[in-house]
Amino acid sequence: MVFSTLVLNDETPIYEQIEQHLEKAIKVGALIKDSKLPSTREVSTVLGVSRNTVLTAYENLESRGIIYSIKGKGSFVKLEAKNKDEVVLLNWKERMSDYGKTCETMDIIKTEYRYEKGMISFKSIAPEGSLFDVEEFKRAFLEIMALEGEKLLNYGYAKGYRSLIDYLMQYMAGKGVDIKGKDILITNGFTEGLDILLSTYTRPGDVILCEEPTHHTTIKMMRAYGIKIVGIPIDKQGVKLKELEAAIKTYAPKWVYLTPSYQNPTGIVMSGERRRAVYNLLCQYEVPCMEDGFNEELLYSGSHVMPLIALEGSSNHIIYLGSLSKILFPGLRLGWIMADKACIDTLESVKRAKNIHTSFLDQAVFMQYMKSGAFERYVKKVKKYYRDKYLFVKAHIKKYIPYQKLWGEGGLHIYIDLAEEIDTRELLRRCYARGVLFMPGDIFRTDGQRTSGLRLGFARLQDEEIIKGLKILGEEIQTLLKQTNHCK
């Protein structure tokens, strides 16, 4: 009740104190326009004063146009609270932390050329949505809602949906991983998994070694945490061993971050022999490794190569970040971390502090879909689709683009090295003017240096768009080469 805070004094007439109290409550917004006031009988009882005193106060307020009364209903507030004249305008850019500044500065959605309707964009490496098993997914949704609907719409567990964890444990065992002593934490895709690891196991100034070039999002997140990133050159077999060992000796890194399969942006698959040699180095120097299991399911030819975590047996220094987002329902944002049980126990607490848990509904529907066998059928279908698309793009790159080196063995993109004299930033500017977009190689470099490399994502483009886009790209490369040769 509005009068519960009124303390009467002996210096001012009581009716005036009641008036002042109500007027102040209206001005500060404690009583809003058209809200009903307590009856005079209620006020007199609460304050222990005569009802006539309250009536006098109400009548005075009504005569001043502050309240109004309706016969048989009571008294109501007439005025609306006015905001203060002062305007508070904070400079939010100046208040940003270093973390926020880094995230914004390296946000390529905001800082790079933007897609406009009608353009041909090779920027995205998202899967082709028309291939999604929408009907199968609908069926899985209805089935799991009928079985566990009430549970799934309530709070879940930070670690994840138990049935999905069990499924993924066996899924990883199928990749050759010794799951004894290991556990899994479900995350909101790869990005949250990496964020949880970095926030838990790094400090500003720590050194992390990674392939050069590497995933832009990974670079951005590490920089946001104040980590020093050291890039290690690669060849078509994977990260170079001598350079990796030299960097380990020089920097004593906190972590090594690697993407052995379909590395982003190059698309290379680290050979089995190179994997074994890299793993031996990690063991020799006792360096923990974050393994990004990017696009492992999209092998177009040959047999599947086991992930690094499958080599460690009963060791525990490899942490695997898994996700199926690049081929299956990226909108669900589902991923997982596989690691030593003690590590997962800690990461579970960090996950709980960040966002309580990943959507249990999403996890359960996904699990029901996977359990139905639809995933295996889907992968067979998309592997053929993307393989055909990959070969189509590769053939037309050879036809239209004068390149130095083509990288990649699968996935949803191809990486190209052009002649050294080509600046792909200038190339992008020229192509953008003609309606073509791609990802320049400097985005993927740990040092941000300009490069003659570029990444082409092709999964969502039609064949005629690919041909047109590659023709334009090739024409602009030829123009730049002629200008360069002319200046020599």
Side-chain angles (χ1 to χ4, degrees):
M1 185 181 181
V2 68
F3 289 102
S4 60
T5 58
L6 175 58
V7 179
L8 298 173
N9 61 64
D10 297 329
E11 300 172 1
T12 307
I14 292 175
Y15 71 86
E16 286 187 17
Q17 294 183 57
I18 294 173
E19 288 180 52
Q20 293 169 4
H21 185 75
L22 280 175
E23 193 169 359
K24 183 179 179 182
I26 292 169
K27 284 182 178 179
V28 300
L31 291 172
I32 62 174
K33 186 179 180 183
D34 296 323
S35 61
K36 188 178 181 182
L37 296 173
S39 69
T40 54
R41 190 182 303 278
E42 288 179 274
V43 178
S44 66
T45 301
V46 169
L47 297 180
V49 299
S50 72
R51 188 181 176 195
N52 286 337
T53 300
V54 182
L55 280 168
T56 300
Y58 275 31
E59 287 170 357
N60 289 345
L61 288 168
E62 186 169 0
S63 68
R64 292 165 55 201
I66 295 174
I67 67 174
Y68 65 93
S69 60
I70 299 177
K71 190 173 181 180
K73 291 188 176 180
S75 298
F76 301 83
V77 176
K78 189 173 184 178
L79 293 181
E80 190 164 10
K82 293 182 179 179
N83 294 328
K84 293 182 179 180
D85 294 334
E86 295 89 350
V87 176
V88 179
L89 295 174
L90 298 178
N91 188 327
W92 289 108
K93 296 293 183 184
E94 289 183 353
R95 288 170 172 256
M96 279 197 297
S97 66
D98 290 341
Y99 182 93
K101 288 176 183 177
T102 301
C103 290
E104 186 170 66
T105 302
M106 297 186 69
D107 186 350
I108 58 176
I109 299 298
K110 292 181 179 179
T111 57
E112 293 294 319
Y113 286 111
R114 297 195 179 192
Y115 171 82
E116 301 290 343
K117 189 175 180 180
M119 283 186 165
I120 298 171
S121 177
F122 291 101
K123 284 181 68 174
S124 174
I125 56 172
E128 172 52 61
S130 64
L131 298 176
F132 293 163
D133 281 331
V134 176
E135 291 305 315
E136 289 281 1
F137 192 76
K138 282 182 187 176
R139 188 176 296 110
F141 174 82
L142 294 173
E143 288 172 354
I144 201 65
M145 283 299 290
L147 292 170
E148 300 184 46
E150 292 180 2
K151 290 182 183 178
L152 302 177
L153 295 175
N154 213 322
Y155 282 109
Y157 302 104
K159 192 174 175 184
Y161 183 63
R162 185 71 255 173
S163 296
L164 180 56
I165 291 173
D166 292 342
Y167 177 89
L168 290 173
M169 288 292 283
Q170 294 307 311
Y171 182 74
M172 294 301 293
K175 291 176 179 282
V177 179
D178 181 356
I179 62 175
K180 185 178 179 182
K182 292 183 171 55
D183 207 346
I184 279 177
L185 174 75
I186 304 299
T187 62
N188 292 318
F190 160 81
T191 307
E192 191 201 28
L194 181 60
D195 180 70
I196 289 173
L197 280 174
L198 294 177
S199 61
T200 306
Y201 290 113
T202 66
R203 294 183 177 89
D206 284 345
V207 174
I208 294 182
L209 308 183
C210 64
E211 296 130 326
E212 183 82 274
T214 194
H215 189 196
H216 171 79
T217 298
T218 299
I219 297 173
K220 176 174 66 177
M221 292 173 67
M222 289 181 182
R223 292 219 186 285
Y225 277 107
I227 292 164
K228 180 178 180 179
I229 313 167
V230 177
I232 310 299
I234 60 175
D235 57 28
K236 289 200 171 184
Q237 298 298 310
V239 65
K240 292 185 176 180
L241 294 174
K242 288 183 180 179
E243 288 83 348
L244 176 61
E245 183 172 16
I248 291 174
K249 290 178 178 179
T250 301
Y251 297 101
K254 191 69 172 284
W255 289 92
V256 171
Y257 166 82
L258 297 171
T259 309
S261 296
Y262 316 107
Q263 196 259 358
N264 188 6
T266 63
I268 66 170
V269 177
M270 190 185 295
S271 68
E273 183 181 355
R274 185 69 59 88
R275 289 181 194 228
R276 174 62 68 178
V278 167
Y279 177 75
N280 289 340
L281 275 180
L282 297 174
C283 290
Q284 180 181 344
Y285 293 99
E286 297 186 357
V287 182
C289 176
M290 299 179 189
E291 179 179 13
D292 184 351
F294 185 74
N295 267 358
E296 282 188 344
E297 284 63 36
L298 281 183
L299 182 66
Y300 295 155
S301 60
S303 58
H304 179 72
V305 185
M306 292 192 300
L308 289 175
I309 194 172
L311 300 176
E312 71 171 359
S314 58
S315 297
N316 69 351
H317 59 303
I318 311 291
I319 292 183
Y320 182 92
L321 293 149
S323 170
L324 299 174
S325 294
K326 283 295 175 281
I327 59 168
L328 182 67
F329 313 144
L332 287 183
R333 305 306 307 136
L334 286 178
W336 69 93
I337 301 172
M338 172 174 253
D340 178 78
K341 284 184 177 180
C343 176
I344 293 295
D345 187 57
T346 298
L347 297 178
E348 178 186 357
S349 296
V350 177
K351 163 80 175 176
R352 187 176 289 111
K354 285 180 177 287
N355 60 15
I356 303 179
H357 65 81
T358 296
S359 165
F360 254 44
L361 177 59
D362 290 353
Q363 292 183 62
V365 178
F366 181 75
M367 176 60 223
Q368 190 72 13
Y369 172 84
M370 299 291 275
K371 195 168 67 174
S372 72
F375 177 65
E376 287 79 7
R377 296 190 296 272
Y378 171 80
V379 169
K380 287 180 182 178
K381 175 178 70 174
V382 299
K383 278 176 71 171
K384 182 181 185 311
Y385 175 86
Y386 291 131
R387 180 180 182 278
D388 291 345
K389 182 81 74 175
Y390 172 79
L391 294 175
F392 180 85
V393 173
K394 195 172 180 180
H396 285 84
I397 287 174
K398 291 179 178 180
K399 184 175 182 180
Y400 296 117
I401 296 181
Y403 62 87
Q404 297 294 315
K405 186 185 291 186
L406 268 183
W407 298 81
E409 297 180 43
L412 309 177
H413 61 277
I414 290 180
Y415 194 80
I416 305 173
D417 276 331
L418 303 174
E420 289 183 4
E421 56 266 34
I422 297 291
D423 180 347
T424 49
R425 278 288 166 184
E426 172 60 18
L427 178 63
L428 176 59
R429 185 189 68 78
R430 300 172 71 98
C431 287
Y432 187 77
R434 296 182 64 182
V436 175
L437 274 169
F438 60 83
M439 294 294 270
D442 60 281
I443 285 174
F444 307 104
R445 287 192 60 87
T446 60
D447 56 13
Q449 289 184 2
R450 292 201 175 190
T451 172
S452 62
L454 60 93
R455 190 190 73 182
L456 299 176
F458 54 77
R460 301 169 70 179
L461 291 174
Q462 300 300 313
D463 289 353
E464 57 270 22
E465 292 178 305
I466 291 170
I467 293 172
K468 182 180 178 182
L470 291 179
K471 279 183 177 179
I472 291 172
L473 190 58
E475 289 167 6
E476 294 301 330
I477 293 170
Q478 293 286 11
T479 300
L480 287 174
L481 286 172
K482 288 176 183 177
Q483 290 178 352
T484 303
N485 292 332
H486 180 72
C487 293
K488 287 182 179 179

